[in-house]
Amino acid sequence: MSADSGTHPAGSGDTDPRVPLTRTLRFRLIMSVALVHALLMGVFVWHALTTESERLRTDTQNRAEALSVLLSVATTNAVLTEDLGSLAEVIDRVGRHPDVTHAQIIDRRGFVLAGTEAEAVGRAVVEAAAGASSREDLLLRLRRDIEVSGNVVGEVYLEMSMAQMHGLLAARRNQALIFILFAMAIGGVVAWLISLHITRDLHAMTAAASRVGQGDLSVRVGVNARDEIGHLAAGFNSMVKSLEALSAEARDEHAKRIEAERLSYAGQLAAHMAHEIRNPLSAVINSVKLLERAELASRDRSQLVDIINGETQRLQRILQGFLDSARTQELRLETADASSLVEQVVRLACRDSEAGERIRVHLDFHKRPCPVVHDADQLRQVIWNLVLNAIQAMPEGGRLTISTDPRGERVRFTVQDTGEGFPRHLLSFATEPFYTGRRSGIGLGLVIVQRILSQHGTRLEIDSREGQGTRMSFELDMG
Amino acid sequence: MHVALHPDGLSDALVRTWIGFILLACLGAVPLGAAAGDPRQAVEVPEHYRLGVIPWQSPSKLAGMFLPLADVLERGLAHPVQFVTAPGYRQFVERVKARDYHLVYLNPLLYPQAREAGYRVVARLAGDGMNGILVARQDRAMPSFDQSVRERRLRLALPSEEAYSARVLREHLGTMGLSLDDFDVEYFGSQDSALLAVHSGRADISGTCLPSLRSMPEAVRSELQIVEQTPPQAAMLLAVRDDVPEAVSAALVEILVELHNHGAGQQVLNALGFYEGFAVASEADIAQRSR
């Protein structure tokens, strides 16, 4: 299964680097199979070893029993006759048995008539204290009476080593461990192959989903199997197909809505323009009509000419501002520290403004340079407008604070004043064209700021409290 | 007595005594030291009275016969009694000479050697004494023991050259003008083996004694017949070693003599095949019967 369009590699089979290894489906599947293998093999091996151990123990016990019975029967006459030569010969042959570590023939008095340890012959014996030997657990001790007609005439004592049995069991245990490891390895490989098959399809779907998330609704995944993954792939394709259809509908609806909004906006803008230019134009028209009167005094005529000049200049500013707000310039981005640019603009604005002398400027730049990606001319325009707005908001003077603050991969610029602040009901219209709280303003400064910031991939944030001041902020990508 | 003094004033006898003590102490320490590392240590155990029985039957059969008697003696004497026999007549004699047994059951022929080793007779089998017999299979013709034996070369099975029955039969054959050289003699180690040799056909006749034939299984005994019988011989004896206390010896005799007077004792006698029990015996009795 693979995504059948687009340029993203899909179904590569590699673990998604964003998912920790221990959380991957492949890892969990391999671990599950390996653990199940280990558990099942462990139980099986434990059972087999226990059975084998029991069988070997029983075999050894039976052999020892058989040997002791044989020994007691074979030595009965020799015990009765105290035929030490025969007994020594029998014991010698028994002692050659690899498992026999100790053997004795004891008469009714408790004297050793023959034994694998020659120094014990002719002496009486007593039991050793329990645990006297460090090899206690490796020894099987047997004693059997030598009986004639129900009368005990002697005793056979046998010590057989279980070391061979323990060695055999240890070998079996080691073999079993190797089997377990082998089974785990085989299981792991099989699990890896299965997980490769499953996760390859899942990876293809993940890649396709990622591309869907990026807006590419033309992507499809191949349906290679009839299992759950196949059904999922088919469902995915069906879902994307539906999304594509819905997206096309939404696009059409959006275009229609944008067109309607554009027309509405143009209407509103025209209305605003008409409203804005109607008053100065009316003043100009009226003044021109009055200038036609011959009886007009020269002082009044001069006043009318001043009015005409003032209103036409206002009309020119309105038109220039409108053109500036509407014009979109191509950005010439660069990466540089903007502190000096900001400082330069602030000084210039304060110097050119009448109220600038009453403003206390505080520059709070970050200690280290903060290079940001920006168009210097456009950023200068943004800072200029924001600072000018702030100065104009403090006609009686106040404190103007400009700061830069790195935040992750961005740098936050803030222009804060202690001026009048926005009335709450006007705050939401602050960036709308021709909304202004000042009589001399034309309401296009923040519109231009918003347009430039939008080109930089950011937006203006306004926090204002009436009577306390306004804080305007925006963020730029760090270079 | 001459006493030699050492320079330091100690006598030789005193020095030897001290050296003896030291050596004994060292010898005593060796087994103890060895025992420390040996799981089965050597210690002193109460002495058993060893009842040695002449090997006239197979060891197992003798055990079956004499173990009940040993048990009765053990209870009666309140002292452990161990039944033992020997691999052969020669070894038995050697052991008797070595004073290896406390009590000995033996035939009159061996008694002189036993007496020389320090044994003294205290009891004998009651009755007229032992009869030596020659046995053949019933399905064979009764052999005649005349001069024709030499031509027929009968195969004669005997327990041992030293066996009482063999000795008795040899003497009996002598009275008939025959000797063992007139037969093809083969020794089978015990009375039973000799009888079984005849039963199985490996021998034509067997020389044994009446109690041995009686002790054979019925299936064997019923197919055998006595073809010749000696006059009664001196009875088997029971002698005690001279270091056995007199009281024990007396108690032993009393137990043996009283066996046929109670049920349990009768069972012991039945096991032995000595239905007439035991009688008190003395050196004088033995001398008189030998004559």
Side-chain angles (χ1 to χ4, degrees):
Chain A
M1 182 185 296
S2 62
D4 54 10
S5 68
T7 57
H8 292 80
S12 62
D14 293 331
T15 304
D16 190 339
R18 290 169 296 182
V19 181
L21 176 66
T22 54
R23 288 175 178 269
T24 57
L25 185 61
R26 185 175 300 175
F27 178 82
R28 291 179 178 180
L29 190 58
I30 291 172
M31 288 305 294
S32 301
V33 172
L35 285 175
V36 167
H37 265 74
L39 185 65
L40 289 178
M41 286 297 292
V43 169
F44 171 75
V45 164
W46 176 83
H47 176 71
L49 278 179
T50 306
T51 308
E52 181 76 355
S53 170
E54 192 61 35
R55 190 183 64 78
L56 284 173
R57 197 176 297 276
T58 305
D59 281 355
T60 307
Q61 182 89 25
N62 288 343
R63 277 191 291 120
E65 291 277 353
L67 189 59
S68 68
V69 168
L70 193 63
L71 199 54
S72 68
V73 171
T75 58
T76 301
N77 283 352
V79 167
L80 291 171
T81 60
E82 295 187 331
D83 187 352
L84 302 184
S86 298
L87 290 174
E89 189 177 340
V90 171
I91 284 294
D92 179 55
R93 296 184 69 171
V94 168
R96 288 183 206 162
H97 193 288
D99 289 341
V100 174
T101 58
H102 196 70
Q104 284 181 341
I105 305 295
I106 303 151
D107 72 5
R108 188 169 179 266
R109 298 171 299 167
F111 281 84
V112 178
L113 297 179
T116 49
E117 293 172 357
E119 64 271 17
V121 176
R123 298 162 105 186
V125 296
V126 291
E127 274 307 302
S133 169
S134 59
R135 296 167 61 245
E136 199 76 18
D137 57 332
L138 296 179
L139 292 177
L140 176 64
R141 288 177 169 159
L142 275 178
R143 57 182 71 251
R144 179 169 297 279
D145 289 338
I146 301 172
E147 294 183 0
V148 177
S149 306
N151 295 286
V152 177
V153 296
E155 180 188 87
V156 168
Y157 176 78
L158 262 184
E159 268 184 15
M160 294 190 71
S161 171
M162 308 282 273
Q164 190 179 359
M165 187 196 83
H166 283 278
L168 203 57
L169 283 176
R172 293 270 195 282
R173 189 169 56 244
N174 291 339
Q175 283 177 349
L177 284 175
I178 291 171
F179 282 142
I180 289 175
L181 291 176
F182 187 67
M184 285 180 71
I186 294 290
V189 169
V190 170
W192 180 75
L193 291 173
I194 293 172
S195 68
L196 190 67
H197 177 70
I198 294 173
T199 56
R200 184 181 56 201
D201 294 344
L202 290 177
H203 276 292
M205 271 190 280
T206 304
S210 174
R211 288 170 58 187
V212 169
Q214 291 167 3
D216 181 6
L217 296 176
S218 65
V219 68
R220 296 290 185 275
V221 292
V223 181
N224 301 325
R226 292 183 176 180
D227 57 9
E228 292 88 339
I229 302 293
H231 285 296
L232 183 60
F236 178 83
N237 286 343
S238 175
M239 179 190 73
V240 175
K241 187 177 178 182
S242 298
L243 277 177
E244 191 177 26
L246 289 171
S247 176
E249 282 181 29
R251 256 196 324 271
D252 291 345
E253 287 295 322
H254 183 68
K256 289 176 184 172
R257 196 173 73 243
I258 291 295
E259 181 63 20
E261 286 181 355
R262 194 177 65 79
L263 291 174
S264 171
Y265 185 73
Q268 287 180 14
L269 200 60
H272 281 301
M273 279 288 282
H275 178 73
E276 288 298 316
I277 65 175
R278 184 177 60 188
N279 290 339
L281 192 59
S282 297
V284 170
I285 291 171
N286 290 335
S287 298
V288 169
K289 282 181 180 176
L290 288 172
L291 283 175
E292 289 175 348
R293 293 180 184 176
E295 69 276 16
L296 198 65
S298 64
R299 189 171 55 87
D300 291 338
R301 187 176 298 277
S302 177
Q303 277 185 335
L304 286 172
V305 169
D306 289 343
I307 290 171
I308 291 170
N309 284 332
E311 291 304 314
T312 51
Q313 285 177 5
R314 177 175 167 79
L315 281 171
Q316 191 177 16
R317 284 204 315 273
I318 291 171
L319 290 173
Q320 186 61 45
F322 181 74
L323 287 174
D324 286 346
S325 66
R327 185 171 58 235
T328 301
Q329 295 179 344
E330 188 176 347
L331 295 179
R332 286 175 295 180
L333 294 174
E334 59 178 300
T335 301
D337 182 34
S339 303
S340 59
L341 181 147
V342 172
E343 184 176 358
Q344 185 184 7
V345 171
V346 170
R347 301 295 176 204
L348 192 63
C350 288
R351 192 183 62 192
D352 288 355
S353 174
E354 291 179 4
E357 297 175 353
R358 294 186 292 275
I359 302 297
R360 284 175 286 116
V361 178
H362 178 65
L363 297 174
D364 184 16
F365 296 147
H366 193 262
K367 286 181 284 187
R368 285 183 294 180
C370 301
V372 292
V373 180
H374 67 283
D375 182 318
D377 290 339
Q378 300 283 356
L379 183 59
R380 186 177 287 109
Q381 181 70 54
V382 168
I383 300 296
W384 176 269
N385 286 2
L386 294 179
V387 170
L388 207 59
N389 262 4
I391 291 172
Q392 289 171 353
M394 299 181 290
E396 303 302 325
R399 178 183 174 87
L400 172 63
T401 303
I402 298 97
S403 63
T404 59
D405 180 22
R407 291 188 175 183
E409 296 180 347
R410 307 195 94 183
V411 178
R412 188 175 185 84
F413 291 79
T414 303
V415 177
Q416 186 168 4
D417 65 59
T418 54
E420 302 161 348
F422 281 89
R424 181 181 292 273
H425 66 281
L426 287 180
L427 190 58
S428 58
F429 301 105
T431 55
E432 294 290 324
F434 305 116
Y435 282 104
T436 179
R438 296 185 304 276
R439 295 184 64 186
S440 59
I442 57 174
L444 289 173
L446 294 184
V447 176
I448 293 169
V449 168
Q450 189 67 295
R451 193 257 305 160
I452 294 172
L453 291 180
S454 178
Q455 281 186 281
H456 280 79
T458 184
R459 56 189 288 273
L460 183 66
E461 296 175 16
I462 303 174
D463 183 16
S464 181
R465 291 187 182 178
E466 192 171 7
Q468 294 183 11
T470 302
R471 183 174 63 218
M472 297 196 182
S473 308
F474 63 91
E475 291 180 350
L476 290 177
D477 290 336
M478 194 178 282
Chain B
M1 181 169 39
H2 174 74
V3 177
L5 290 178
H6 269 250
D8 58 359
L10 291 174
S11 69
D12 281 339
L14 193 56
V15 170
R16 280 197 296 273
T17 304
W18 275 108
I19 290 173
F21 269 117
I22 292 167
L23 285 175
L24 278 174
C26 292
L27 287 172
V30 169
L32 287 175
D38 187 354
R40 299 171 67 79
Q41 301 166 354
V43 296
E44 290 294 329
V45 295
E47 189 182 358
H48 285 58
Y49 287 140
R50 285 161 58 77
L51 169 61
V53 176
I54 189 169
W56 56 285
Q57 294 283 12
S58 69
S60 299
K61 187 164 184 177
L62 284 181
M65 293 168 67
F66 281 87
L67 281 172
L69 176 64
D71 187 49
V72 167
L73 294 178
E74 184 169 298
R75 282 188 274 113
L77 299 175
H79 198 92
V81 175
Q82 179 195 14
F83 159 79
V84 280
T85 179
Y89 287 96
R90 195 167 297 147
Q91 291 91 334
F92 181 75
V93 173
E94 292 301 321
R95 290 177 186 178
V96 169
K97 287 179 178 175
R99 296 167 57 84
D100 198 24
Y101 310 116
H102 297 90
L103 319 173
V104 188
Y105 176 82
L106 73 177
N107 64 47
L109 292 176
L110 288 179
Y111 180 67
Q113 297 174 70
R115 186 173 53 197
E116 194 173 327
Y119 292 89
R120 54 194 170 84
V121 65
V122 293
R124 65 173 176 82
L125 293 187
D128 293 335
M130 191 196 75
N131 294 93
I133 53 175
L134 285 172
V135 177
R137 281 190 63 87
Q138 282 192 353
D139 53 4
R140 299 284 173 88
M142 180 83 78
S144 57
F145 294 97
D146 51 23
Q147 295 305 316
S148 65
V149 166
R150 290 191 180 89
E151 284 78 35
R152 283 178 286 153
R153 301 298 300 175
L154 290 173
R155 295 171 297 170
L156 174 59
L158 291 174
S160 155
E161 203 170 353
E162 299 87 358
Y164 184 39
S165 54
R167 178 79 171 272
V168 167
L169 282 170
R170 193 163 57 234
E171 290 176 358
H172 183 67
L173 288 173
T175 61
M176 293 190 291
L178 296 173
S179 73
L180 291 181
D181 295 337
D182 298 324
F183 299 85
D184 288 337
V185 180
E186 190 173 354
Y187 297 101
F188 286 86
S190 71
Q191 311 269 359
D192 288 347
S193 299
L195 284 169
L196 288 172
V198 172
H199 184 260
S200 65
R202 285 189 60 185
D204 298 313
I205 53 175
S206 170
T208 181
C209 59
L210 208 49
S212 294
L213 181 62
R214 289 191 197 126
S215 68
M216 294 303 286
E218 174 60 27
V220 175
R221 194 171 63 226
S222 62
E223 294 181 0
L224 300 176
Q225 59 177 330
I226 299 171
V227 295
E228 185 62 39
Q229 184 167 343
T230 70
Q233 304 295 314
M236 300 293 281
L237 306 174
L238 199 128
V240 298
R241 209 165 67 189
D242 52 12
D243 57 351
V244 174
E246 190 62 39
V248 173
S249 180
L252 173 71
V253 172
E254 186 177 350
I255 292 167
L256 291 172
V257 171
E258 290 297 317
L259 281 177
H260 72 279
N261 291 332
H262 51 84
Q266 203 62 52
Q267 287 181 1
V268 171
L269 293 175
N270 289 341
L272 287 165
F274 305 156
Y275 305 117
E276 296 174 80
F278 288 89
V280 179
S282 64
E283 291 290 336
D285 292 337
I286 300 302
Q288 186 179 2
R289 282 177 176 267
S290 297
R291 282 193 297 273

